Amino acid sequence: MRLPTLWGRDKDDPFGALHREVEKVFDDFTKTWPSVGALTGRFLMPNIDVHETDKGLEVTAEVPGVDEKDVEVTLVDNLLTIRGEKKSERKEGEEGRMVSERSYGAFQRSFTLPYEVDPNKVEARVEKGVLRISLPKSAESKKKTRKIAIKTAK
């Protein structure tokens, strides 16, 4: 009689074999997912930072190796969308190299902004692999903002 083994350790265990096959299928399937790609070093989903200043919002996104012409920033109502694509590059046998591979893929991130921004003053630029977007508050949003005094409880 065979004693039970730890899950997937015994090669004759049908449940262990099934477990390994399911893991392999999911590993193969999720290799193209942005979040998994980010964990494995593939570039598919840029890291984003959003900071609020007294003037508005500052958004930065890491886009290493992506050309300025391959990035698009749109603002529709209060929805900011950043999309782009890092082009595929593969060279074999050129300039003394055996193989040179670069990661590639398309990405898109969208954010609902917490207030109206002035669309005519929005600026975006890419420098050294970092996309910076300045989103100044609209005059209307500035008027609607007010500080509420907090009173001590009695």
Side-chain angles (χ1 to χ4, degrees):
M1 179 171 127
R2 180 178 290 240
L3 294 173
T5 61
L6 292 175
W7 182 259
R9 298 272 181 170
D10 187 343
K11 63 182 177 182
D12 296 327
D13 177 15
F15 293 109
L18 176 63
H19 177 75
R20 286 188 302 279
E21 278 300 309
V22 170
E23 276 189 338
K24 184 180 180 312
V25 168
F26 275 99
D27 285 346
D28 291 344
F29 179 70
T30 59
K31 282 181 182 175
T32 60
W33 287 9
S35 58
V36 174
L39 293 174
T40 61
R42 291 187 180 149
F43 175 82
L44 291 177
M45 190 65 67
N47 293 326
I48 303 283
D49 290 327
V50 180
H51 297 280
E52 185 170 16
T53 67
D54 57 341
K55 295 180 182 180
L57 295 173
E58 296 290 328
V59 176
T60 58
E62 294 178 2
V63 290
V66 178
D67 289 336
E68 182 179 303
K69 64 180 175 41
D70 295 326
V71 177
E72 178 182 280
V73 177
T74 58
L75 180 63
V76 178
D77 295 326
N78 282 357
L79 184 67
L80 175 71
T81 300
I82 303 167
R83 70 174 54 91
E85 183 175 4
K86 185 172 180 183
K87 303 291 184 179
S88 154
E89 183 180 331
R90 181 179 169 91
K91 297 178 183 179
E92 292 185 31
E94 291 181 17
E95 301 173 16
R97 291 187 203 122
M98 295 300 285
V99 175
S100 175
E101 297 180 339
R102 304 282 189 263
S103 60
Y104 66 95
F107 62 88
Q108 178 174 320
R109 302 281 307 262
S110 294
F111 307 94
T112 301
L113 302 177
Y115 46 75
E116 283 185 42
V117 298
D118 186 341
N120 298 319
K121 294 184 179 178
V122 173
E123 293 181 0
R125 65 188 176 283
V126 175
E127 184 179 349
K128 296 183 180 179
V130 178
L131 170 66
R132 297 181 191 284
I133 307 168
S134 297
L135 301 145
K137 283 184 182 180
S138 68
E140 190 65 28
S141 288
K142 288 179 183 177
K143 289 179 188 176
K144 291 179 183 178
T145 303
R146 75 171 229 230
K147 188 173 181 176
I148 308 298
I150 300 174
K151 299 176 184 176
T152 306
K154 293 182 184 184

